Amino acid sequence: VQLVESGGGSVQAGGSLRLSCSASGFSVGAFPVYAFGWFRQVPGNEREGITYIGTSTYYVDSVKGRFTISRDNAKNMVYLQLNTLKPEDTAIYYCAAEYLGVWGPFLASEYDHWGQGTQVTVSS
C-alpha cells in the first residue's frame, strides 16, 4: 500500500485548503475496507491524530467543525477539507491507512501505512 498526500501550501488565517491522499497498491476491491486517518506533526512534537474515517468518522475537538474528512472509494482517494485555518494548524499533514480499521483512531501506532506528508503553513 502506498499513500501520497498533496494539496498543502501556505495560506492566511481564515483560509482553506483541501488535502488529498492518493492510495494505491491494494488488492482488487480492498480499498473500501481500509480505514484512514489524518495526522499532523510539528517538528519536535509527537504526531497528532486529528480525524479518522472508517465505519465511523471522528474528529479531535481542535478541528471539529472546521475540518472534514471524506473518501471516494471509486477513485481510491481520501480527502481532508481544511476551513477557517488558524496559525496553530501549521504542521506537516500525513495520511495513514489500516486494514479493517483501528481501535484507537488517533494513535499513530495503530496504522501500518503512511504517506510522506504535505506541509500546511498558516500565517496570521
Side-chain angles (χ1 to χ4, degrees), residues 77-101:
M77 295 289 295
V78 180
Y79 304 99
L80 183 62
Q81 179 68 41
L82 289 67
N83 294 331
T84 320
L85 281 161
K86 304 175 181 180
E88 52 263 43
D89 294 319
T90 295
I92 300 173
Y93 283 70
Y94 297 90
C95 175
E98 184 60 32
Y99 183 62
L100 295 181

Side-chain angles (χ1 to χ4, degrees), residues 1 26-36 52-56 71-74 76 78 96-102 111 113:
V1 173
F26 298 94
S27 300
V28 175
F31 179 84
V33 300
Y34 275 77
F36 290 85
Y52 168 91
I53 187 166
T55 55
S56 300
R71 65 191 295 167
D72 185 337
N73 289 339
N76 285 13
V78 180
E98 184 60 32
Y99 183 62
L100 295 181
V102 301
Y111 296 83
H113 310 287

